[in-house]
Amino acid sequence: AMIVKNKLHADVLAWEVEMPDLNIDAENLDYELQDGSLFGSLPTRFENKDSILLKKIKNSLNINYIKEKVPNYKEIDIKIFKDIPGFKLFPHLDAPHHKAFLMFNLTNNIDSTTFHNTQKEFLCKGPNKKNMGVFHLLRTKPEILHAIENTSNKNRYTAIAFIK
C-alpha cells in the first residue's frame, strides 16, 4: 500500500509518498491528446484512459490517509499522463473544486513537481523516481503554487489522483 514519508518543506503542505509497484508499462500504453490541453500552444500532454488501470491506481491509494487530510472530499479522479519534452505548466493553483492531489512517477523521470510561493519563488520539489511522488493539500495558507516542466529529451510518465 501507499506509504507517506517526509514533509517536503516547512511551509508547504506536501509529503513524499511511495506507491506500490503496479507493473504499469507506461511507455507502451495508448495515449490521446488531453482534452483542453492545447492552451494555445503545441500539444505536449497526452492521457491514457484505460479504466482498468485507473481503477488499479485508485485501489492502491491509502483512502484512510486521504480522508484524514481531506475529510470533505467527494471524489478521486485518476489520470495517467505522458508529458513530452517541452511540456510546461507555469506555477499555478488548481481549479477551485480540487482539494488535494497525489502525483507519482510511473517511470524514473528527470523532472518533478516544483512548489513555489505566491511570488513564484522556488521552495522545494517532489521526487522524480519510479513509484515515488507527492501528496499536496491545496487551498492552504500561505498559498502555495505548483509547476512542472519536462526539460529532458524523454517523455515523462506520471499518474495523478485529483482529490475533489
Side-chain angles (χ1 to χ4, degrees):
M2 165 184 137
I3 301 164
V4 181
K5 299 189 161 196
N6 301 329
K7 194 165 177 236
L8 294 179
H9 185 279
D11 297 336
V12 181
L13 288 177
W15 294 264
E16 188 177 339
V17 293
E18 184 174 348
M19 297 297 290
D21 191 342
L22 301 174
N23 298 310
I24 294 171
D25 183 7
E27 291 162 325
N28 292 307
L29 298 176
D30 290 326
Y31 292 90
E32 55 193 68
L33 185 62
Q34 184 196 16
D35 300 334
S37 78
L38 283 172
F39 300 120
S41 64
L42 296 170
T44 54
R45 174 164 267 187
F46 296 83
E47 186 178 341
N48 171 279
K49 297 187 176 179
D50 181 323
S51 59
I52 294 165
L53 280 185
L54 299 176
K55 187 171 282 189
K56 188 177 190 181
I57 292 169
K58 188 182 272 190
N59 289 342
S60 73
L61 298 174
N62 182 335
I63 298 298
N64 289 334
Y65 177 79
I66 292 169
K67 275 186 183 149
E68 178 191 316
K69 294 290 185 191
V70 192
N72 59 341
Y73 86 91
K74 305 274 188 293
E75 65 169 307
I76 299 176
D77 186 19
I78 310 288
K79 304 274 190 189
I80 296 171
F81 288 129
K82 172 174 81 173
D83 298 333
I84 67 172
F87 173 77
K88 184 168 191 164
L89 275 178
F90 291 94
H92 66 283
L93 294 169
D94 283 0
H97 60 284
H98 289 213
K99 296 174 171 68
F101 68 80
L102 188 150
M103 178 287 298
F104 71 99
N105 298 286
L106 295 172
T107 55
N108 287 325
N109 291 313
I110 304 298
D111 298 295
S112 188
T113 307
T114 56
F115 296 90
H116 308 260
N117 64 21
T118 49
Q119 288 76 52
K120 302 204 167 72
E121 295 164 334
F122 173 82
L123 298 173
C124 62
K125 70 176 182 175
N128 61 356
K129 297 290 174 245
K130 182 178 179 179
N131 298 326
M132 299 298 293
V134 63
F135 176 81
H136 176 48
L137 290 178
L138 300 162
R139 321 263 161 262
T140 58
K141 301 285 179 243
E143 215 165 44
I144 299 296
L145 309 176
H146 59 277
I148 182 59
E149 181 174 6
N150 184 356
T151 63
S152 78
N153 59 3
K154 292 175 24 189
N155 292 329
R156 175 177 179 265
Y157 297 95
T158 58
I160 304 178
F162 292 100
I163 299 155
K164 301 173 180 178

